[in-house]
């Protein structure tokens, strides 16, 4: 049996592909976190009554960016769960902010705020795509390390399955709807 047939090269190739996709997930979440200070500044200047919600968004952003998952943590379900929970709390804070906009129609007229809402919607879609691509790469890698004959090469390399990204609440992976909010 040749080394190629037993997955000696394909296993690390697929593992690296999954790690690269995870980097894309992290980048998408970071891009979302970077939008929040701008959104908070515009909304805060428009209405003081939003202060409590904006503070929650900023605190959730700080927590979400403090939880780091490296490529070495991808097979740690607890670390992945911690990351998912922090991102879910951040997403919920953004949702509360968007709901508050419905309550105060004068905020809807701010062009910059509408632009930032559109950016957030686009970013949520990019996150969803990045997570889907990462989970696809994890599935491909995990299949590679579990099927014969490539499992031989995987065992020789000490490969273990990676953990897919999972939302902590139903629907958490769906971008918030801005329908009727613009």
């Amino acid at each position: 049996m040749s080394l190629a047939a037993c997955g000696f090269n394909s296993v690390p190739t697929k593992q690296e592909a999954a790690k690269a996709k995870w980097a894309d997930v992290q980048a998408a979440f970071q891009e979302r976190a970077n939008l929040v200070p701008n959104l908070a500044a515009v909304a805060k200047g428009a209405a003081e009554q939003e202060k409590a919600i904006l503070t929650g968004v900023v605190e959730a952003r700080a927590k979400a960016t403090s939880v780091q998952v490296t490529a070495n943590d991808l097979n740690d379900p607890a670390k992945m769960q911690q990351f998912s929970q922090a991102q879910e709390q951040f997403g919920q804070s953004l949702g509360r902010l968007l709901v508050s906009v419905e309550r105060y129609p004068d905020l809807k007229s701010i062009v910059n705020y509408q632009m930032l809402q559109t950016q957030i919607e686009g970013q949520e879609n990019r996150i969803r795509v990045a997570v889907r691509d990462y989970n696809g790469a994890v599935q491909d890698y995990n299949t590679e390390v579990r099927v014969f004959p490539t499992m031989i090469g995987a065992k020789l390399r000490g490969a273990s399955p990676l953990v897919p990204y999972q939302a902590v609440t139903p629907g958490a992976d769906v971008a918030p709807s801005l329908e009727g909010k613009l």
Side-chain angles (χ1 to χ4, degrees), residues 4 8 11 21 23 30 32 34 39 47 75 87 89 101-102 108 116 133 153 163 172 175 177:
F8 199 75
V11 168
K21 294 296 182 187
Q30 184 61 51
R32 179 175 75 175
N34 291 343
L39 175 62
N75 58 356
Q87 294 301 327
Q89 288 173 350
V101 172
E102 286 182 79
K108 292 180 185 178
L116 290 168
D133 290 349
V163 179
S177 171

Side-chain angles (χ1 to χ4, degrees), residues 6 20 51 74 99 136 139 141 151 163 167:
C6 72
K51 187 174 182 178
L74 296 179
V99 166
Q139 178 186 10
Y141 168 78
M151 65 189 282
V163 179

Side-chain angles (χ1 to χ4, degrees), residues 50-108:
E50 301 301 318
K51 187 174 182 178
I53 293 171
L54 295 174
T55 300
V57 169
V58 171
E59 289 171 357
R61 175 195 179 267
K63 184 175 181 182
T65 57
S66 72
V67 177
Q68 298 296 315
V69 175
T70 67
N72 294 331
D73 297 325
L74 296 179
N75 58 356
D76 182 355
K79 190 76 169 175
M80 296 295 284
Q81 178 73 11
Q82 181 185 18
F83 183 85
S84 295
Q85 287 174 337
Q87 294 301 327
E88 173 63 17
Q89 288 173 350
F90 187 40
Q92 289 173 354
S93 293
L94 289 174
R96 285 190 293 276
L97 178 62
L98 294 175
V99 166
S100 72
V101 172
E102 286 182 79
R103 294 184 185 151
Y104 303 101
D106 54 317
L107 289 179
K108 292 180 185 178

Side-chain angles (χ1 to χ4, degrees), residues 84-161:
S84 295
Q85 287 174 337
Q87 294 301 327
E88 173 63 17
Q89 288 173 350
F90 187 40
Q92 289 173 354
S93 293
L94 289 174
R96 285 190 293 276
L97 178 62
L98 294 175
V99 166
S100 72
V101 172
E102 286 182 79
R103 294 184 185 151
Y104 303 101
D106 54 317
L107 289 179
K108 292 180 185 178
S109 66
I110 299 171
V111 175
N112 288 338
Y113 192 83
Q114 291 172 339
M115 178 188 66
L116 290 168
Q117 283 182 307
T118 301
Q119 288 178 7
I120 286 175
E121 180 182 25
Q123 189 57 44
E124 292 299 319
N125 286 331
R126 285 187 287 280
I127 288 169
R128 190 174 68 239
V129 168
V131 166
R132 183 194 65 211
D133 290 349
Y134 167 71
N135 284 346
V138 166
Q139 178 186 10
D140 191 37
Y141 168 78
N142 287 347
T143 301
E144 190 80 2
V145 300
R146 290 182 174 141
V147 298
F148 184 82
T150 55
M151 65 189 282
I152 296 168
K155 287 185 189 241
L156 290 173
R157 288 194 175 271
S160 60

